[in-house]
PDB file of all heavy atoms in Angstrom:
ATOM      1  N   ASP I  34       4.540  -2.481   1.115  1.00 95.00           N
ATOM      2  CA  ASP I  34       3.603  -2.646  -0.012  1.00 95.00           C
ATOM      3  C   ASP I  34       2.962  -4.035  -0.064  1.00 95.00           C
ATOM      4  O   ASP I  34       1.773  -4.165  -0.331  1.00 95.00           O
ATOM      5  CB  ASP I  34       4.322  -2.379  -1.343  1.00 95.00           C
ATOM      6  CG  ASP I  34       4.596  -0.882  -1.493  1.00 95.00           C
ATOM      7  OD1 ASP I  34       3.893  -0.076  -0.851  1.00 95.00           O
ATOM      8  OD2 ASP I  34       5.529  -0.528  -2.236  1.00 95.00           O
ATOM      9  N   GLU I  35       3.774  -5.083   0.187  1.00 96.00           N
ATOM     10  CA  GLU I  35       3.204  -6.437   0.081  1.00 96.00           C
ATOM     11  C   GLU I  35       2.154  -6.669   1.171  1.00 96.00           C
ATOM     12  O   GLU I  35       1.200  -7.429   0.986  1.00 96.00           O
ATOM     13  CB  GLU I  35       4.300  -7.521   0.110  1.00 96.00           C
ATOM     14  CG  GLU I  35       5.146  -7.590   1.374  1.00 96.00           C
ATOM     15  CD  GLU I  35       6.387  -6.688   1.321  1.00 96.00           C
ATOM     16  OE1 GLU I  35       6.301  -5.560   0.801  1.00 96.00           O
ATOM     17  OE2 GLU I  35       7.436  -7.125   1.838  1.00 96.00           O
ATOM     18  N   VAL I  36       2.322  -5.968   2.308  1.00 97.00           N
ATOM     19  CA  VAL I  36       1.341  -6.108   3.402  1.00 97.00           C
ATOM     20  C   VAL I  36       0.064  -5.330   3.058  1.00 97.00           C
ATOM     21  O   VAL I  36      -1.040  -5.787   3.336  1.00 97.00           O
ATOM     22  CB  VAL I  36       1.951  -5.636   4.748  1.00 97.00           C
ATOM     23  CG1 VAL I  36       0.945  -5.800   5.885  1.00 97.00           C
ATOM     24  CG2 VAL I  36       3.228  -6.403   5.050  1.00 97.00           C
ATOM     25  N   VAL I  37       0.239  -4.170   2.419  1.00 98.00           N
ATOM     26  CA  VAL I  37      -0.926  -3.379   1.979  1.00 98.00           C
ATOM     27  C   VAL I  37      -1.822  -4.261   1.106  1.00 98.00           C
ATOM     28  O   VAL I  37      -3.034  -4.354   1.305  1.00 98.00           O
ATOM     29  CB  VAL I  37      -0.487  -2.123   1.191  1.00 98.00           C
ATOM     30  CG1 VAL I  37      -1.673  -1.445   0.530  1.00 98.00           C
ATOM     31  CG2 VAL I  37       0.248  -1.143   2.102  1.00 98.00           C
ATOM     32  N   VAL I  38      -1.201  -4.948   0.135  1.00 98.00           N
ATOM     33  CA  VAL I  38      -1.979  -5.784  -0.793  1.00 98.00           C
ATOM     34  C   VAL I  38      -2.673  -6.913  -0.020  1.00 98.00           C
ATOM     35  O   VAL I  38      -3.855  -7.194  -0.222  1.00 98.00           O
ATOM     36  CB  VAL I  38      -1.060  -6.332  -1.919  1.00 98.00           C
ATOM     37  CG1 VAL I  38      -1.779  -7.377  -2.753  1.00 98.00           C
ATOM     38  CG2 VAL I  38      -0.588  -5.177  -2.798  1.00 98.00           C
ATOM     39  N   GLU I  39      -1.950  -7.539   0.912  1.00 98.00           N
ATOM     40  CA  GLU I  39      -2.564  -8.637   1.686  1.00 98.00           C
ATOM     41  C   GLU I  39      -3.700  -8.124   2.566  1.00 98.00           C
ATOM     42  O   GLU I  39      -4.699  -8.806   2.765  1.00 98.00           O
ATOM     43  CB  GLU I  39      -1.506  -9.340   2.554  1.00 98.00           C
ATOM     44  CG  GLU I  39      -0.597 -10.266   1.784  1.00 98.00           C
ATOM     45  CD  GLU I  39      -1.335 -11.310   0.940  1.00 98.00           C
ATOM     46  OE1 GLU I  39      -2.246 -11.971   1.471  1.00 98.00           O
ATOM     47  OE2 GLU I  39      -1.005 -11.451  -0.246  1.00 98.00           O
ATOM     48  N   LEU I  41      -5.725  -5.669   1.905  1.00 98.00           N
ATOM     49  CA  LEU I  41      -6.908  -5.407   1.067  1.00 98.00           C
ATOM     50  C   LEU I  41      -7.507  -6.713   0.565  1.00 98.00           C
ATOM     51  O   LEU I  41      -8.725  -6.844   0.443  1.00 98.00           O
ATOM     52  CB  LEU I  41      -6.534  -4.457  -0.076  1.00 98.00           C
ATOM     53  CG  LEU I  41      -6.179  -3.039   0.419  1.00 98.00           C
ATOM     54  CD1 LEU I  41      -5.464  -2.234  -0.659  1.00 98.00           C
ATOM     55  CD2 LEU I  41      -7.422  -2.292   0.895  1.00 98.00           C
ATOM     56  N   LYS I  42      -6.650  -7.712   0.319  1.00 98.00           N
ATOM     57  CA  LYS I  42      -7.163  -9.040  -0.075  1.00 98.00           C
ATOM     58  C   LYS I  42      -7.924  -9.664   1.089  1.00 98.00           C
ATOM     59  O   LYS I  42      -8.986 -10.239   0.914  1.00 98.00           O
ATOM     60  CB  LYS I  42      -6.001  -9.971  -0.450  1.00 98.00           C
ATOM     61  CG  LYS I  42      -5.494  -9.784  -1.851  1.00 98.00           C
ATOM     62  CD  LYS I  42      -4.531 -10.940  -2.157  1.00 98.00           C
ATOM     63  CE  LYS I  42      -3.785 -10.675  -3.440  1.00 98.00           C
ATOM     64  NZ  LYS I  42      -2.597 -11.516  -3.567  1.00 98.00           N
ATOM     65  N   ALA I  46     -11.568  -6.454  -0.462  1.00 98.00           N
ATOM     66  CA  ALA I  46     -11.913  -5.152  -1.055  1.00 98.00           C
ATOM     67  C   ALA I  46     -12.187  -5.295  -2.552  1.00 98.00           C
ATOM     68  O   ALA I  46     -11.525  -6.075  -3.243  1.00 98.00           O
ATOM     69  CB  ALA I  46     -10.768  -4.161  -0.831  1.00 98.00           C
ATOM     70  N   GLY I  47     -13.176  -4.554  -3.027  1.00 98.00           N
ATOM     71  CA  GLY I  47     -13.541  -4.629  -4.448  1.00 98.00           C
ATOM     72  C   GLY I  47     -14.156  -3.323  -4.908  1.00 98.00           C
ATOM     73  O   GLY I  47     -14.279  -2.371  -4.122  1.00 98.00           O
ATOM     74  N   PRO I  48     -14.556  -3.269  -6.195  1.00 98.00           N
ATOM     75  CA  PRO I  48     -15.060  -2.023  -6.783  1.00 98.00           C
ATOM     76  C   PRO I  48     -16.259  -1.428  -6.047  1.00 98.00           C
ATOM     77  O   PRO I  48     -16.486  -0.226  -6.106  1.00 98.00           O
ATOM     78  CB  PRO I  48     -15.466  -2.441  -8.205  1.00 98.00           C
ATOM     79  CG  PRO I  48     -14.713  -3.687  -8.479  1.00 98.00           C
ATOM     80  CD  PRO I  48     -14.481  -4.367  -7.174  1.00 98.00           C
ATOM     81  N   ARG I  61      -0.735   5.272   0.813  1.00 98.00           N
ATOM     82  CA  ARG I  61      -0.536   4.070  -0.001  1.00 98.00           C
ATOM     83  C   ARG I  61      -1.703   3.079   0.061  1.00 98.00           C
ATOM     84  O   ARG I  61      -1.981   2.399  -0.927  1.00 98.00           O
ATOM     85  CB  ARG I  61       0.775   3.384   0.362  1.00 98.00           C
ATOM     86  CG  ARG I  61       0.846   2.930   1.806  1.00 98.00           C
ATOM     87  CD  ARG I  61       2.171   2.272   2.113  1.00 98.00           C
ATOM     88  NE  ARG I  61       3.301   3.170   1.954  1.00 98.00           N
ATOM     89  CZ  ARG I  61       4.542   2.751   1.714  1.00 98.00           C
ATOM     90  NH1 ARG I  61       4.793   1.460   1.628  1.00 98.00           N
ATOM     91  NH2 ARG I  61       5.529   3.612   1.608  1.00 98.00           N
ATOM     92  N   ILE I  62      -2.398   2.980   1.209  1.00 98.00           N
ATOM     93  CA  ILE I  62      -3.453   1.952   1.289  1.00 98.00           C
ATOM     94  C   ILE I  62      -4.652   2.345   0.412  1.00 98.00           C
ATOM     95  O   ILE I  62      -5.162   1.547  -0.369  1.00 98.00           O
ATOM     96  CB  ILE I  62      -3.876   1.705   2.761  1.00 98.00           C
ATOM     97  CG1 ILE I  62      -2.698   1.096   3.529  1.00 98.00           C
ATOM     98  CG2 ILE I  62      -5.095   0.786   2.823  1.00 98.00           C
ATOM     99  CD1 ILE I  62      -2.973   0.704   4.964  1.00 98.00           C
ATOM    100  N   VAL I  63      -5.072   3.611   0.521  1.00 98.00           N
ATOM    101  CA  VAL I  63      -6.238   4.056  -0.257  1.00 98.00           C
ATOM    102  C   VAL I  63      -5.894   4.080  -1.752  1.00 98.00           C
ATOM    103  O   VAL I  63      -6.705   3.692  -2.596  1.00 98.00           O
ATOM    104  CB  VAL I  63      -6.719   5.439   0.238  1.00 98.00           C
ATOM    105  CG1 VAL I  63      -7.892   5.921  -0.581  1.00 98.00           C
ATOM    106  CG2 VAL I  63      -7.111   5.361   1.710  1.00 98.00           C
ATOM    107  N   ILE I  64      -4.662   4.500  -2.064  1.00 98.00           N
ATOM    108  CA  ILE I  64      -4.259   4.550  -3.482  1.00 98.00           C
ATOM    109  C   ILE I  64      -4.204   3.125  -4.061  1.00 98.00           C
ATOM    110  O   ILE I  64      -4.710   2.859  -5.151  1.00 98.00           O
ATOM    111  CB  ILE I  64      -2.919   5.304  -3.641  1.00 98.00           C
ATOM    112  CG1 ILE I  64      -3.143   6.787  -3.278  1.00 98.00           C
ATOM    113  CG2 ILE I  64      -2.366   5.164  -5.057  1.00 98.00           C
ATOM    114  CD1 ILE I  64      -1.887   7.632  -3.173  1.00 98.00           C
ATOM    115  N   THR I  65      -3.645   2.178  -3.299  1.00 98.00           N
ATOM    116  CA  THR I  65      -3.601   0.784  -3.784  1.00 98.00           C
ATOM    117  C   THR I  65      -5.015   0.213  -3.914  1.00 98.00           C
ATOM    118  O   THR I  65      -5.310  -0.529  -4.861  1.00 98.00           O
ATOM    119  CB  THR I  65      -2.757  -0.097  -2.826  1.00 98.00           C
ATOM    120  OG1 THR I  65      -1.484   0.524  -2.668  1.00 98.00           O
ATOM    121  CG2 THR I  65      -2.589  -1.504  -3.343  1.00 98.00           C
ATOM    122  N   ALA I  66      -5.889   0.571  -2.978  1.00 98.00           N
ATOM    123  CA  ALA I  66      -7.281   0.068  -3.048  1.00 98.00           C
ATOM    124  C   ALA I  66      -7.935   0.531  -4.341  1.00 98.00           C
ATOM    125  O   ALA I  66      -8.682  -0.218  -4.977  1.00 98.00           O
ATOM    126  CB  ALA I  66      -8.075   0.558  -1.837  1.00 98.00           C
ATOM    127  N   ALA I  67      -7.649   1.772  -4.754  1.00 98.00           N
ATOM    128  CA  ALA I  67      -8.238   2.300  -5.984  1.00 98.00           C
ATOM    129  C   ALA I  67      -7.553   1.691  -7.214  1.00 98.00           C
ATOM    130  O   ALA I  67      -8.205   1.270  -8.166  1.00 98.00           O
ATOM    131  CB  ALA I  67      -8.112   3.821  -5.998  1.00 98.00           C
ATOM    132  N   GLN I  68      -6.223   1.618  -7.136  1.00 98.00           N
ATOM    133  CA  GLN I  68      -5.431   1.189  -8.299  1.00 98.00           C
ATOM    134  C   GLN I  68      -5.589  -0.304  -8.606  1.00 98.00           C
ATOM    135  O   GLN I  68      -5.793  -0.681  -9.734  1.00 98.00           O
ATOM    136  CB  GLN I  68      -3.963   1.450  -7.961  1.00 98.00           C
ATOM    137  CG  GLN I  68      -3.055   1.639  -9.113  1.00 98.00           C
ATOM    138  CD  GLN I  68      -1.774   2.323  -8.638  1.00 98.00           C
ATOM    139  OE1 GLN I  68      -1.278   2.037  -7.541  1.00 98.00           O
ATOM    140  NE2 GLN I  68      -1.251   3.218  -9.445  1.00 98.00           N
ATOM    141  N   ARG I  69      -5.506  -1.129  -7.553  1.00 98.00           N
ATOM    142  CA  ARG I  69      -5.466  -2.577  -7.807  1.00 98.00           C
ATOM    143  C   ARG I  69      -6.759  -3.302  -7.489  1.00 98.00           C
ATOM    144  O   ARG I  69      -6.930  -4.451  -7.861  1.00 98.00           O
ATOM    145  CB  ARG I  69      -4.334  -3.197  -6.982  1.00 98.00           C
ATOM    146  CG  ARG I  69      -3.016  -2.640  -7.465  1.00 98.00           C
ATOM    147  CD  ARG I  69      -1.812  -3.399  -7.063  1.00 98.00           C
ATOM    148  NE  ARG I  69      -1.887  -4.841  -7.088  1.00 98.00           N
ATOM    149  CZ  ARG I  69      -0.910  -5.617  -6.671  1.00 98.00           C
ATOM    150  NH1 ARG I  69       0.196  -5.082  -6.214  1.00 98.00           N
ATOM    151  NH2 ARG I  69      -1.025  -6.926  -6.698  1.00 98.00           N
ATOM    152  N   PHE I  70      -7.662  -2.643  -6.735  1.00 98.00           N
ATOM    153  CA  PHE I  70      -8.883  -3.337  -6.326  1.00 98.00           C
ATOM    154  C   PHE I  70     -10.133  -2.631  -6.852  1.00 98.00           C
ATOM    155  O   PHE I  70     -11.248  -3.049  -6.578  1.00 98.00           O
ATOM    156  CB  PHE I  70      -8.938  -3.472  -4.798  1.00 98.00           C
ATOM    157  CG  PHE I  70      -7.850  -4.350  -4.248  1.00 98.00           C
ATOM    158  CD1 PHE I  70      -6.552  -3.885  -4.086  1.00 98.00           C
ATOM    159  CD2 PHE I  70      -8.116  -5.681  -3.921  1.00 98.00           C
ATOM    160  CE1 PHE I  70      -5.535  -4.701  -3.599  1.00 98.00           C
ATOM    161  CE2 PHE I  70      -7.112  -6.507  -3.435  1.00 98.00           C
ATOM    162  CZ  PHE I  70      -5.815  -6.013  -3.267  1.00 98.00           C
ATOM    163  N   GLY I  71      -9.937  -1.518  -7.575  1.00 98.00           N
ATOM    164  CA  GLY I  71     -11.071  -0.815  -8.185  1.00 98.00           C
ATOM    165  C   GLY I  71     -11.974  -0.112  -7.192  1.00 98.00           C
ATOM    166  O   GLY I  71     -13.091   0.292  -7.535  1.00 98.00           O
ATOM    167  N   ALA I  72     -11.498   0.052  -5.933  1.00 98.00           N
ATOM    168  CA  ALA I  72     -12.345   0.684  -4.912  1.00 98.00           C
ATOM    169  C   ALA I  72     -12.223   2.208  -4.978  1.00 98.00           C
ATOM    170  O   ALA I  72     -11.443   2.760  -5.770  1.00 98.00           O
ATOM    171  CB  ALA I  72     -11.915   0.182  -3.534  1.00 98.00           C
ATOM    172  N   ALA I  94      -0.812   9.174  -9.758  1.00 98.00           N
ATOM    173  CA  ALA I  94      -1.302   7.856 -10.207  1.00 98.00           C
ATOM    174  C   ALA I  94      -2.583   8.004 -11.020  1.00 98.00           C
ATOM    175  O   ALA I  94      -3.179   6.998 -11.427  1.00 98.00           O
ATOM    176  CB  ALA I  94      -1.537   6.963  -8.983  1.00 98.00           C
ATOM    177  N   LEU I  96      -5.409   9.085  -9.860  1.00 98.00           N
ATOM    178  CA  LEU I  96      -6.509   8.553  -9.039  1.00 98.00           C
ATOM    179  C   LEU I  96      -7.089   9.588  -8.076  1.00 98.00           C
ATOM    180  O   LEU I  96      -7.758   9.218  -7.110  1.00 98.00           O
ATOM    181  CB  LEU I  96      -5.998   7.345  -8.228  1.00 98.00           C
ATOM    182  CG  LEU I  96      -5.668   6.117  -9.071  1.00 98.00           C
ATOM    183  CD1 LEU I  96      -4.815   5.137  -8.285  1.00 98.00           C
ATOM    184  CD2 LEU I  96      -6.952   5.442  -9.532  1.00 98.00           C
ATOM    185  N   ARG I  99     -10.686   9.228  -7.107  1.00 98.00           N
ATOM    186  CA  ARG I  99     -11.135   8.020  -6.376  1.00 98.00           C
ATOM    187  C   ARG I  99     -10.454   7.846  -5.034  1.00 98.00           C
ATOM    188  O   ARG I  99     -10.884   7.040  -4.220  1.00 98.00           O
ATOM    189  CB  ARG I  99     -10.869   6.781  -7.222  1.00 98.00           C
ATOM    190  CG  ARG I  99     -11.475   6.916  -8.599  1.00 98.00           C
ATOM    191  CD  ARG I  99     -10.944   5.849  -9.477  1.00 98.00           C
ATOM    192  NE  ARG I  99     -11.230   4.572  -8.860  1.00 98.00           N
ATOM    193  CZ  ARG I  99     -12.022   3.676  -9.379  1.00 98.00           C
ATOM    194  NH1 ARG I  99     -12.595   3.917 -10.522  1.00 98.00           N
ATOM    195  NH2 ARG I  99     -12.218   2.539  -8.774  1.00 98.00           N
TER     196      ARG I  99
END
Side-chain angles (χ1 to χ4, degrees):
D34 287 337
E35 62 271 39
V36 181
V37 170
V38 171
E39 284 307 311
L41 293 165
K42 278 190 191 163
R61 61 181 62 204
I62 294 184
V63 178
I64 293 171
T65 306
Q68 205 162 38
R69 296 197 40 185
F70 295 79
L96 291 164
R99 307 167 57 115

